[in-house]
Amino acid sequence: MSLSTDTRTKVVLLGAGGHARVCFDILKQDEAVELLGVFSPDLTDGEIWLEDYRCQGDDSNAEELLRSQAGIVCVNGLGFLPKSSARKRLAKRFESYRFLTLQHYSAVISSSVKADAGVQFMARSCVQYGTKIAQHSIVNTGAQIDHDCRIGAFCHLAPGSIICGDVIIEDEVFIGAGAIVTQGVTVGKGAVIGAGVTVKHNVSPNQWIK
């Protein structure tokens, strides 16, 4: 009898939209990861999704697999649009299982950064010294976070956004593509900062700045 020497992390990908495709691209480049399946209610069971990967059912099928095998981790493949709760609802449904902290090989993340489970660092993102990021937030393509920032849970920093030093971003905030949040600003829970906006003053919870 031979013992398996496969030490790869076994992963299930939840979702099959655009953000899931980007997550898939990161996962397939990581030799330490084995993708067991893609699950989405938006596809038919067995339907070809990407390359040679087929959908293996909906969220219920994913839960069945997770219950049957210990040690599998989840990747949340749902993105986050302004005022959307879909990503959070999916994370809450699977909260009894572990979520992978995802990082593209080109991301530059200080060793001092503290990131909770489910945080995703996409291609060419950059996060500097002393920053803390709470669960399930997305630091999208080319987004930059400078030193000593606090990023809440379920936030989305869209491509090319810039967060200067000592900024506080509370939970469920959406920062649009190319937006800039300047030094020391606090952005309240649920706020939305539109694409290309420069924020120089504190933003109230649920405020929408266009």
Side-chain angles (χ1 to χ4, degrees), residues 27-148:
L27 291 169
K28 75 173 186 176
Q29 294 175 39
D30 190 344
E31 294 181 354
V33 164
E34 178 186 0
L35 180 58
L36 297 182
V38 178
F39 297 85
S40 172
D42 298 325
L43 298 176
T44 303
D45 190 2
E47 180 180 345
I48 293 177
W49 178 56
L50 282 181
E51 301 177 11
D52 58 347
Y53 282 86
R54 295 177 181 270
C55 178
Q56 296 191 20
D58 58 16
D59 296 343
S60 297
N61 298 99
E63 288 180 291
E64 183 177 346
L65 177 59
L66 288 161
R67 287 194 298 267
S68 70
Q69 297 185 42
I72 300 175
V73 296
C74 304
V75 169
N76 193 335
L78 297 188
F80 172 32
L81 295 173
K83 302 299 184 181
S84 170
S85 60
R87 180 176 173 85
K88 184 176 180 179
R89 288 200 308 272
L90 185 64
K92 293 297 183 184
R93 176 167 183 172
F94 288 88
E95 65 183 352
S96 59
Y97 303 101
R98 187 162 65 93
F99 276 84
L100 186 68
T101 299
L102 196 64
Q103 181 175 328
H104 192 274
Y105 71 87
S106 67
V108 179
I109 311 300
S110 168
S111 60
S112 69
V113 169
K114 299 185 185 303
D116 290 345
V119 171
Q120 296 174 343
F121 300 102
M122 307 320 243
R124 298 179 65 189
S125 57
C126 179
V127 186
Q128 298 286 18
Y129 191 92
T131 290
K132 295 181 180 179
I133 306 176
Q135 61 180 339
H136 293 286
S137 285
I138 302 168
V139 185
N140 219 323
T141 309
Q144 301 175 42
I145 307 174
D146 217 307
H147 64 88
D148 301 302

